[in-house]
Amino acid sequence: MKYRKLLFLVSLAFFSCKNEKTEVVNEEAAKPNVLFIAVDDLNNMIGPIDNFTNVKTPNFDRLADMGVTFTNAHVQAPLCGPSRASIMTGLRPSTTGIYGMTPDNEVRRAGNPSTKDITFLPEYFEQNGYHTMGIGKLFHIHAPDSVFNESGGRVKGFGPYPKERIVWDGFGTSKSKKGKYGRTSTDWGAFPENDTLMPDHHSVDWTIERLNRKYDKPFFLGLGFLRVHVPLYVPQKWFDMHPLDSIKTPPYLADDLKDIPNVGLQINDLPMMPSTEWAIESGEWKKIVQAYLACMSYVDYELGRVLDALGNSEYADNTIVVLWSDHGYRLGEKGTFAKHALWETATKAPLMFAGPQLPKGKKIDAPVEMLSMYPTLLELANLPAYDRNEGKSLVSMMTEEHGMKEAYALTTYGMNNHAVRTNQYRYIQYEDGTEEFYDHSIDPNEWHNEAANPKYKAQIENMKKLLPKVNSKWDESSNYTFQPYFVEQKARVNGEENK
C-alpha cells in the first residue's frame, strides 16, 4: 500500500514537472520572432516613400502594406560603420566616439568606456531566450565574433566585379593625391549575367532555408543586403526595367554650396566620387540614376523571395519584420554621388516595421531615429527594456500616434558636427560653431541656408537645445581615412589629450 502511494506521488510530481516544462516551452514558442533586414545605401526613392520617377519596388510596397512605414527616418551617422555601430549598441556616436569605420570586434572593447560592457541588439535577444542567426552586412563588415548563435558570414567586398571597371576609375580628380582620398568602389553598368552570381542571392537562399526550419524557441534572424552599395552592378534585366528616356534626375542647383560653412565644404570634398557637373557634361547622370534604380529593383526582388518564404512558413503570423538602411544616398544633389553629409538626402533612409498588433498600411511622416530600433524591437517582443538604450521606442507612435509633434532626429558626422531634424526644419552646427538652417516648408531641397535670417532665431535656439551634451573624442579604433578632414580632426582632438 505504501509502495502504491509512493508511486502515485512520484508520478504526480513527474507529470507536474512535465506540464511546467511544457508551459515554459509554449510560452517561449509564443514570443514573436524577429526578421531583421538591412539594405546598404538605400535612399528614400522606393515606392512607399518618395516613389521616385520610374521606380519599381513592388515588394517594398508589399511590406509597407503589411505594417508601418516611417517616411522621415534619419540615421545617427551618414556613414555605414558608425551608423551600424549606433544601431547595434543603442548608443549615439557622440557617446561612443565611434565616428568612423571600426572593426566589428572592436566596437565593444575595454578601451572604450561607453561600449566596453554593452550588450549588442542580437545578444539581448539571445539573453532573453532567442536563437539568433545572421548573414551578410549587419555590422560594418558582418558581426563581431560569437554575436550570433549561427552565422552565415559575409562575402568580402561588394562584388562580383568585371575584369575591368565599366565607367569610373575610382580615383576621379584625386589621381595626384592617391592615398589621401583612397579609391571608391563607385562604378555602374550591367554585370554579372544572372542573379545567382550575386552574393545577396545566396544570402537570401540561406535565410529562406532558416525560415523553413523548426525551432524550439523564438528566433532572431538578421539579413544584410550588400546592394544598393556601389558598385552599381546588377544583371542587364534590371536595367531594362528602367529605360533611360523615362528617367528624371534629382533636383540640382549649380551654385548650391555658395552659402555652406567651411567645415561643411571640407566634409563634402570627395574628389574620388563623380561630381554632378561631370555627370552632366559626360551624359552619365541618367545612367547613374538608372543603375541605382536597377540595383533597387534587384534588392526588391530578393526581398520578395524572403517575404514569400515567411508568408509560406509557420512563422507568418508571429514574426516582427523590420527593414532599414544605414543612411541615404545622394544621386547628384549638392554636387556629388555619395552619402557623407549632414544634409537631408544623406541622413534620411527607409525604416519599416510589420508584425502582430501593428497597424497595416500606415505611414508616419514625423522625424524618427534609427537609434529607436533597439528599444522598439524589445517592446514589440515584450522583452524588458534595456536601460543603456539612448533611443526611444516607437511603438506608441505606431499604435497611438503619441509624440508626433515633438519628434526629432539627431545625426552626427565626426566630433561636434551635428544635424537636428524636426517636422519642418533642419539645423546643422559644425565644430567651429558655424551653422546651416533650412525651412522644409519652403525649401525641401535645402538650397538656401537661412542660419543668419533673424526670422528663424528663436527656432534655431530651440533646436540647439537638442544637440548632444556629451561629445566624446574619437575612439582609437575608429577611423575614416578616405576623408582628410576626419584624419586631421581625429589627430587634433585626440592629440590634445596627451599634451
Side-chain angles (χ1 to χ4, degrees), residues 148-162:
F148 291 107
N149 298 136
E150 288 186 66
S151 169
R154 178 247 171 111
V155 173
K156 186 177 180 180
F158 293 93
Y161 305 99

Side-chain angles (χ1 to χ4, degrees), residues 12-27:
L12 184 65
F14 172 77
F15 285 112
S16 176
C17 289
K18 185 177 180 182
N19 286 339
E20 284 179 15
K21 186 176 180 182
T22 301
E23 286 175 11
V24 170
V25 170
N26 289 339
E27 184 180 335

Side-chain angles (χ1 to χ4, degrees), residues 42 49-50 78 93 173 210 242 261 278 287 301-302 318 343 357 359-360 374 388 405 415 417 420 450 479 486:
L42 181 67
I49 303 181
D50 287 349
T173 58
R210 264 64 188 175
H242 305 279
W278 174 88
K287 295 178 183 178
Y301 157 72
E302 296 291 3
N318 194 34
W343 298 309
Q357 285 80 54
K360 297 184 186 300
Y374 197 148
R388 298 285 296 277
K405 290 183 179 179
M415 183 178 174
N417 300 315
V420 180
E450 300 283 0
N479 300 282
F486 290 117

